[in-house]
C-alpha cells in the first residue's frame, strides 16, 4: 500500500488495518517457523515496513488532532 493511500485513511481505519496486518504477520511467522519455508520470505519484511508506516502516520494524526 502506498503512503498516500495510508494518509487518506481515518484514524479508526488505520487502527483496524494495523491489527489486521499484525495478525497476518503472526500467521506468516508461524508458517515460516514450522518446517515449511515461505515461498517469498521477503513478505515478512514488507509487512513489517507497512505496519511501521501505518503506525507513524497514525501517531502523526493523533498529535495533530
Amino acid at each position: 500500500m502506498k503512503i498516500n493511500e495510508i494518509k487518506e485513511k481515518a484514524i479508526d481505519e488505520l487502527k483496524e488495518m494495523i491489527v489486521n496486518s499484525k495478525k497476518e504477520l503472526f500467521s506468516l511467522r508461524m508458517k515460516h517457523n514450522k518446517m515449511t519455508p515461505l515461498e517469498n520470505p521477503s513478505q515478512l519484511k514488507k509487512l513489517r515496513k507497512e505496519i511501521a508506516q501505518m503506525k507513524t502516520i497514525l501517531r502523526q494524526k493523533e498529535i495533530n488532532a
Side-chain angles (χ1 to χ4, degrees):
M1 182 174 282
K2 303 269 182 184
I3 298 253
N4 293 333
E5 294 173 5
I6 296 172
K7 286 182 180 179
E8 293 173 358
K9 303 289 183 181
I11 292 176
D12 295 333
E13 287 180 85
L14 280 174
K15 288 179 181 179
E16 188 175 323
M17 287 173 55
I18 291 170
V19 169
N20 291 336
S21 295
K22 284 184 175 183
K23 287 179 183 177
E24 184 180 348
L25 180 62
F26 180 77
S27 67
L28 283 175
R29 281 185 182 155
M30 290 303 109
K31 286 180 187 176
H32 187 65
N33 285 340
K34 295 186 179 176
M35 298 302 276
T36 56
L38 294 174
E39 289 180 19
N40 188 4
S42 65
Q43 287 175 328
L44 294 170
K45 183 178 179 181
K46 181 181 173 188
L47 197 53
R48 282 196 317 263
K49 181 179 176 182
E50 285 180 6
I51 292 170
Q53 289 173 340
M54 285 186 272
K55 283 184 168 183
T56 301
I57 292 171
L58 176 65
R59 183 68 179 138
Q60 289 173 349
K61 287 186 175 203
E62 288 175 343
I63 289 173
N64 291 332

